[in-house]
Amino acid sequence: METILAKGSIATVEADALAITLCEDEAAPKGLEFAQPWLDEMKACDEFAGKAGEVAVLYGPKGLKAKRLAVVGGGKRAAHDSEAQRRAAGTVVRSLKSKGVKSIAWVLGANCDTEAVAEGAIVGNYEPDHYKTSTKDPKTVERFEIIGGDAVGLARGILLAESQNFTRDLVNEPANMLPPAKLAERARAMAAEAGLECELLDQDRMRQLGMGSLLGVAQGSIEPPFLIVVRYRPEGTPTSKDHLGLVGKGVTFDTGGVSIKPAEHMDRMKSDMSGGAAVLGAMRAIARLKPSIPVTAFVPAVENMCSGTAQRPGDIVKSLDGKTIEVLNTDAEGRLILNDALTYAQRQGCTHLVDAATLTGAIVVALGYVNSGAFTNNDAMLARVMSAAKTEGEKMWHMPLEEDYKDLLKSQAADLANIGGRWGGAISAAWFLREFVGETPWVHLDIAGTAWLEEPKPYIAKGPSGVAVRTFVRLATSWVA
Ligand code: BES
Ligand code: ZN
Ligand code: ZN
């Protein structure tokens, strides 16, 4: 979709639809006063009251060059923040494209944000249907222009939205199309295009280094594992010692291993690399926005299979940092690859760490599909991440991680067990990771409930959400040492 600043005005712009947001407590804006009786009538008929998610379309509006006037509800004006604007733009695009609309001219409201609108439109226009051939739905909006927008906001909005869609493309790939080697290839291609450094650690290299925990997960699959490392370095002499490490779980498919998962919904486990995909999508944008600190991404990419070579419950593996781990459940594999990646990130000089992982079903029990769970060993670091998330409209909830939970991971035979029993499963998983970060300021985001939309929303398709990309980018670009 071509997303541009409009040349024309409300009256003169040529488009299949002119679109505006109207909040519950608002009248038709200047230039569209003629629509007021029509709006009043719809309100009286209970068909459009300005609530979020509502769309009404008027055909052949008098005095406009545009063929339609589309009005989308914005909710309450006071609550019409940038996330509400993203959703309004996405809702218009999705609703109009289903009618065959190809071009939309969006009227930017007062105090509204070009970046959010552009993002919402581009994210909303995306469909995860690349593998449909003859039946491929041609319904997609080709041009989206913004009346009254600004060029800087537009450029950032396009970059962020396309980076989210890059992440969604990766998550959407089925596991046969995107085994670890292919994910590594996609990361390398992205890095080359964006001007980033990319290093791929293969199985031999990881064996030399001693990443026994990661390799234990990988050994059940015929697909070789990779540790993907992508580096962004700012130009000139650094102004501080801070170095941000972004770590993302990259399990390209999670069968559960020998502790196998039930068949129902197992297909969803192609999305078990959502954290890794988010980290890569963020690097794509970071490369162009050039923050002042170095940022390095680490994506341990493996396939968790059950086979004759797979690790067994009860096996003991040795992690890169030297701790021994008793693998009591092979389905708790995310933490077994992330620990080695977190250790490696620290050895590579990262002073601050954030990881994103579809780590536990337990976080979905706790927070549903709305919030990601945020865990930390450092309140100041958490504050940075939460503030970035808030600015970007990505919902995250601070979860507890007190010392009292630490005992859950006791093992009789090794330093640590990889599971912590039935209750508080998202917390014991987070504690497992915490054992490997020491005092390094770190935040863990459990995105198992937010990385994949089980149902479509008016503003976004069902499937991968691209969660965490915007937060990561905001965190890096707003960093103050
Ligand atoms: N990838 C899953 C977690 C998951 C569940 C992601 C649902 C997305 C949706 C993870 O590897 C896993 O299987 N975790 C286990 C841990 C348990 C064995 C301690 C879980 O949550 O059941
Ligand atoms: Zn698992
Ligand atoms: Zn998993």
Side-chain angles (χ1 to χ4, degrees), residues 249 254 272 333:
K249 175 175 174 182
D254 183 9
D272 212 18
E333 84 297 342

Side-chain angles (χ1 to χ4, degrees), residues 6-7 12 17-19 33 41 50 64 72 113 138 217 242 264 278 300 318 326 334 369 407 422 459 474:
K7 287 192 196 76
T12 64
L18 182 82
E33 290 89 350
E41 195 63 33
L64 300 189
V72 58
D113 178 1
V217 177
D242 292 358
E264 203 185 3
K318 191 165 190 166
E326 188 180 15
Y369 296 122
D407 286 348
R422 187 171 160 85
Y459 51 88
R474 181 65 63 177

Side-chain angles (χ1 to χ4, degrees), residues 1-8 12-17 67 92-93 96 101-106 121-122 125 140-146:
M1 182 170 67
E2 186 193 3
T3 313
I4 52 176
L5 298 178
K7 287 192 196 76
T12 64
V13 74
E14 289 187 39
D16 291 343
K67 293 197 201 100
V92 161
V93 167
L96 293 181
V101 165
K102 297 288 173 211
S103 57
I104 298 173
W106 177 275
I122 297 168
N125 200 33
T140 166
V141 175
E142 281 156 16
R143 184 160 50 91
F144 186 90
E145 44 189 313
I146 304 178

Side-chain angles (χ1 to χ4, degrees), residues 249 251 253-256 261 269 271-273 304 330-335 337 357-360:
K249 175 175 174 182
V251 175
F253 196 76
D254 183 9
T255 63
K261 286 180 179 297
M269 286 300 124
S271 68
D272 212 18
M273 31 59 77
N304 188 24
T330 63
D331 196 11
E333 84 297 342
R335 60 199 80 177
I337 64 171
T358 47
L359 204 62
T360 67

Side-chain angles (χ1 to χ4, degrees), residues 353-437:
L353 294 168
V354 190
D355 76 74
T358 47
L359 204 62
T360 67
I363 199 68
V364 192
V365 174
L367 299 176
Y369 296 122
V370 176
N371 275 278
S372 304
F375 302 81
T376 192
N377 61 353
N378 182 298
D379 287 337
M381 183 64 184
L382 180 73
R384 288 182 190 261
V385 174
M386 291 299 247
S387 143
K390 190 158 177 54
T391 306
E392 293 296 338
E394 293 193 314
K395 294 193 170 65
M396 293 181 185
W397 197 260
H398 181 194
M399 296 288 290
L401 198 59
E402 284 112 336
E403 296 284 330
D404 311 55
Y405 291 103
K406 189 175 166 180
D407 286 348
L408 290 171
L409 296 168
K410 276 202 170 133
S411 155
Q412 194 183 18
D415 298 336
L416 276 175
N418 82 323
I419 53 169
R422 187 171 160 85
W423 309 114
I427 304 172
S428 50
W431 246 114
F432 185 93
L433 300 180
R434 183 172 177 174
E435 293 283 359
F436 296 85
V437 294

Side-chain angles (χ1 to χ4, degrees), residues 20 70 74 108 198 302 304 328 397 407 420 479:
I20 61 159
L108 194 71
C198 178
V302 307
N304 188 24
L328 292 177
W397 197 260
D407 286 348
W479 194 270

